[in-house]
Amino acid sequence: MAAVIRNRILFPSTAHHRNRNNNSSTLRFPQTSPSGFTASCSQSEPSSRRRPPYIPNRIPDPSYVRISDTTLRDGQQFPGASMTLKEKLDVARQLTKLGVDVIDAGFPAASKDDFVAVKMIAQEVGNAVHGHGYVPVICGLSRCNENDIRTAWEAVKHAKRPRIQTFIATSAIHMEHKLRMSKEKVIHVARYMVSFARSLGCHDVQFGPEDAARSDRVFLYQILGEVIKAGATTINIPDTVGITMPSEFGSLIADIKANTPGIENVIISAHCHNDLGLSTANTIEGARAGARQLEVTINGIGERAGNASLEEVVMALKCGAHVTGNLYTGINTKHIYLTSKMVEEYTGLQLQPHKALVGANAFAHESGMHQDGMLKHKGTYEIISPEDIGLERTNEAGIVLGKLSGRHALRKRLEELGYELNDVQVQSLFWRFKAVVEQKKRVTDADLIALVSDEVVQAEPIWKLGDLQVTCGTLGLSTATVKLFSNDGSTHVACSVGTGPVDSAYKAVDLIVKEPVTLLKYSMNAVTEGTVDAIATIRVVIRGERETSSNHALTGETVLRAFSGTGAGMDAVVSNVKAYIAALNKMLGFKEASPAAEKIPISSSKI
């Protein structure tokens, strides 16, 4: 039995019938009552359904929603979020464990570094076949010009399921002030470039009208109809500036579905930004209105205020099945927490404690009344079990790590935390663990995560800290002596003075490395409880002054990249120097991979 509501504001979920001459919409959802709502999302999941076969422009099951993750592309358009090639590959592999349908791997024409990263992801991750034949689509972004599209195809064509995504702005403000094109010219360029992408041999082409939320609706229907005729298989509708309300974005998707010629032959995608904190809500409303691909990022990272968060969107679909018409995804939610932590560590973008689902306080209960309820029944204050997203509340094996623990116990706990390390990494981490446990009676999971981040999750070491000695206090200038090892095996020592121990140590490092940089951000957090024996994590963001630029995906302008580094340990000054060196290694690694003479010429691209 279902209730039917007719309203000019509401729009339908999966069952959508709309007359082009009638502005009313139909919303269907199961009959419920206040007592009929389930107490826990964990208990209310629909029965397990398999991911349907992949067809670029059609999904055999109308209730299935594709998840397109753009962490490696849109998520990188954030100061200091640059990842190394190894880190990008690690994240891409983890995204396949998570089960995303599409990996938006990057903007190949931005720089040689980006091209190489997308190509390697296509070759390695895009050819790994998993259970039930699952292989992720590997997508490369391009603007609407031949050079971008050809470069994107050269990068992604090595995958089993390659996709080119191209875009052009369609709002009046963008066409007038940025593109300086007429509507007719924009339509011509979009249609031609989609055809050009298909002519290269790419059978999966996604087109996005940038700033669609502020574009004229009739013009949107027209240009989308033209690119569909030209061969587009997915139409991506972005709220580029995050300005729409949920009801507005849902209506936008519903109107496009109802009025665009040929729309039944493609997949509608939603891409929402979080400028007003509504990206998740808008994405869910887009799905209810007919979008069957949702573009998201891990932890909601991205340009400005970020993008819709994968973990929020996926769990909201699970918990909101009673209002979405039982929409479902292929995401293995038990990998959410580990993926979140990996992205947080690799990008250095620390989560706020109250971040939904994956923040430090998401499953913490301090209020006495709440604690009383939790002790009696966890469902009183938790709608989702932390185990559902891969967060183990307790150590199931009963292992407590201390100074008598061996490598096997350490490896076992790391595996329980989701880290699969090789023998060399475990050996290296084991000696760091032993050094910490000599000063602490007990090593916590937070300690281990910090040590993994510091010891394993780092760029290839061009420079490595050997020794550090500092002198500071109230009697004179602080001094620091630093010994660094370079990747050619040579040893370098420098001494400097500064306004404090950290400043003097950084200046000593600069005397050795001889790379002018600007320190953009600095933060220090105690990741574990305690005073003397707390482990501190330091994060720095730097920007180089020589040859560390790339091209912005949306504006095309050359921007200087920022690079982050983290360091963790019980000595805060040593952790500071490790973080600084880690950021320098990232920057130097980028420069080696992307020499200025080899950068792909963007300015000469033909439209």
Side-chain angles (χ1 to χ4, degrees):
M1 181 69 180
V4 178
I5 295 178
R6 295 190 179 276
N7 189 296
R8 292 181 181 273
I9 298 177
L10 297 177
F11 47 84
S13 58
T14 54
H16 178 229
H17 305 284
R18 184 166 185 167
N19 190 307
R20 297 192 184 189
N21 299 318
N22 188 344
N23 291 327
S24 67
S25 300
T26 303
L27 176 66
R28 298 181 182 272
F29 55 89
Q31 189 86 42
T32 59
S33 64
S35 62
F37 286 105
T38 55
S40 168
C41 295
S42 301
Q43 299 170 359
S44 61
E45 299 179 8
S47 58
S48 177
R49 288 175 283 183
R50 287 186 179 182
R51 186 193 314 267
Y54 183 77
I55 304 170
N57 66 331
R58 184 171 64 86
I59 301 176
D61 184 348
S63 295
Y64 185 77
V65 178
R66 288 176 182 164
I67 296 297
S68 175
D69 183 272
T70 185
T71 301
L72 294 172
R73 200 271 303 168
D74 208 327
Q76 290 280 277
Q77 293 171 207
F78 189 101
S82 297
M83 287 186 266
T84 65
L85 176 58
K86 175 187 176 297
E87 290 169 343
K88 290 179 180 180
L89 281 170
D90 286 347
V91 170
R93 292 187 186 107
Q94 184 61 30
L95 290 174
T96 64
K97 293 180 182 179
L98 192 60
V100 302
D101 300 274
V102 182
I103 297 176
D104 188 355
F107 178 28
S111 68
K112 185 180 179 182
D113 181 63
D114 290 280
F115 175 84
V116 171
V118 176
K119 182 177 179 179
M120 288 193 68
I121 290 170
Q123 290 173 327
E124 297 189 25
V125 181
N127 284 281
V129 181
H130 301 266
H132 306 296
Y134 159 67
V135 182
V137 173
I138 306 299
C139 179
L141 181 73
S142 65
R143 292 163 296 183
C144 270
N145 64 62
E146 289 185 358
N147 184 76
D148 272 26
I149 292 171
R150 188 181 292 108
T151 303
W153 177 241
E154 287 301 313
V156 302
K157 69 180 183 180
H158 306 278
K160 283 185 177 294
R161 293 174 178 168
R163 174 187 291 186
I164 293 174
Q165 176 183 188
T166 190
F167 70 94
I168 194 169
T170 54
S171 65
I173 189 170
H174 276 252
M175 289 189 291
E176 178 182 354
H177 297 286
K178 187 178 78 170
L179 298 180
R180 297 181 180 177
M181 291 184 184
S182 65
K183 288 183 177 180
E184 293 73 22
K185 178 66 173 178
V186 169
I187 290 176
H188 169 74
V189 170
R191 180 176 54 225
Y192 174 75
M193 291 304 165
V194 170
S195 297
F196 178 70
R198 290 299 298 257
S199 72
L200 296 176
C202 184
H203 303 298
D204 194 351
V205 178
Q206 177 171 311
F207 173 79
E210 185 190 359
D211 205 17
R214 294 192 295 175
S215 299
D216 175 72
R217 293 286 175 91
V218 174
F219 179 56
L220 267 184
Y221 308 150
Q222 185 180 4
I223 191 171
L224 293 178
E226 290 299 315
V227 296
I228 290 171
K229 286 193 292 185
T233 53
T234 298
I235 300 299
N236 186 38
I237 308 302
D239 181 8
T240 303
V241 295
I243 195 173
T244 60
M245 298 295 106
S247 60
E248 291 179 307
F249 190 75
S251 294
L252 172 62
I253 298 296
D255 288 345
I256 288 172
K257 185 175 181 180
N259 296 288
T260 302
I263 198 69
E264 67 278 3
N265 299 318
V266 299
I267 303 298
I268 301 176
S269 175
H271 180 112
C272 299
H273 281 263
N274 202 40
D275 296 72
L276 295 176
L278 295 171
S279 58
T280 296
N282 286 345
T283 301
I284 296 298
E285 291 298 271
R288 294 182 67 214
R292 288 298 176 267
Q293 177 179 289
L294 307 179
E295 300 211 343
V296 292
T297 62
I298 303 298
N299 299 336
I301 66 172
E303 194 154 19
R304 303 188 311 277
N307 293 60
S309 161
L310 179 145
E311 58 273 11
E312 293 175 15
V313 168
V314 168
M315 296 310 291
L317 287 175
K318 271 180 167 276
C319 293
H322 57 290
V323 294
T324 63
N326 286 321
L327 297 180
Y328 72 103
T329 72
I331 297 297
N332 182 349
T333 63
K334 291 188 181 295
H335 284 278
I336 284 177
Y337 186 74
L338 177 59
T339 310
S340 168
K341 289 290 125 186
M342 177 182 284
V343 170
E344 182 182 22
E345 290 164 6
Y346 282 178
T347 61
L349 301 177
Q350 297 173 345
L351 294 176
Q352 67 268 39
H354 56 279
K355 169 69 173 70
L357 296 165
V358 291
N361 293 345
F363 295 97
H365 305 273
E366 186 169 334
S367 162
M369 181 175 66
H370 287 213
Q371 289 176 348
D372 178 66
M374 285 292 294
L375 289 171
K376 292 173 178 174
H377 193 289
K378 291 184 174 62
T380 53
Y381 288 102
E382 283 187 356
I383 61 168
I384 298 170
S385 168
E387 289 78 13
D388 288 347
I389 62 167
L391 173 59
E392 298 297 329
R393 199 191 305 267
T394 58
N395 185 342
E396 296 289 338
I399 295 174
V400 176
L401 295 177
K403 65 180 182 179
L404 299 179
S405 300
R407 293 175 183 79
H408 181 70
L410 176 63
R411 184 191 288 271
K412 175 67 175 176
R413 188 60 194 138
L414 290 170
E415 289 174 352
E416 290 174 354
L417 292 172
Y419 294 100
E420 298 177 4
L421 306 182
N422 59 41
D423 291 340
V424 174
Q425 291 171 326
V426 171
Q427 178 70 7
S428 176
L429 192 65
F430 179 70
W431 294 115
R432 286 291 307 278
F433 160 74
K434 279 295 188 181
V436 170
V437 84
E438 285 296 326
Q439 302 175 63
K440 297 188 68 172
K441 291 182 179 179
R442 182 171 178 268
V443 177
T444 67
D445 289 347
D447 291 328
L448 288 179
I449 292 171
L451 291 176
V452 170
S453 176
D454 184 55
E455 191 67 30
V456 179
V457 184
Q458 294 292 355
E460 291 298 319
I462 296 173
W463 293 99
K464 187 175 182 180
L465 177 63
D467 295 307
L468 169 68
Q469 178 68 50
V470 296
T471 302
C472 62
T474 59
L475 299 179
L477 288 173
S478 297
T479 63
T481 303
V482 175
K483 178 192 287 184
L484 299 184
F485 300 117
S486 69
N487 57 358
D488 63 6
S490 59
T491 301
H492 303 258
V493 179
C495 182
S496 182
V497 297
T499 56
V502 175
D503 181 53
S504 58
Y506 281 16
K507 287 178 177 176
V509 171
D510 289 340
L511 289 174
I512 297 173
V513 178
K514 294 181 175 61
E515 283 289 338
V517 298
T518 301
L519 181 63
L520 301 178
K521 292 181 181 179
Y522 172 92
S523 64
M524 178 171 67
N525 292 290
V527 299
T528 57
E529 294 180 356
T531 52
V532 178
D533 63 354
I535 285 185
T537 291
I538 313 297
R539 177 180 181 252
V540 299
V541 180
I542 63 172
R543 177 176 291 151
E545 298 178 10
R546 302 175 186 163
E547 303 299 339
T548 55
S549 63
S550 63
N551 292 281
H552 193 283
L554 298 181
T555 65
E557 64 182 346
T558 300
V559 294
L560 290 174
R561 288 204 181 205
F563 302 87
S564 65
T566 58
M570 298 181 69
D571 188 316
V573 179
V574 174
S575 298
N576 269 279
V577 177
K578 284 186 173 182
Y580 189 52
I581 293 172
L584 287 169
N585 281 333
K586 273 191 178 182
M587 183 188 74
L588 295 171
F590 174 82
K591 288 176 64 176
E592 286 185 359
S594 305
E598 294 183 10
K599 285 199 174 179
I600 297 169
I602 304 297
S603 59
S604 62
S605 300
K606 175 184 176 182
I607 293 182

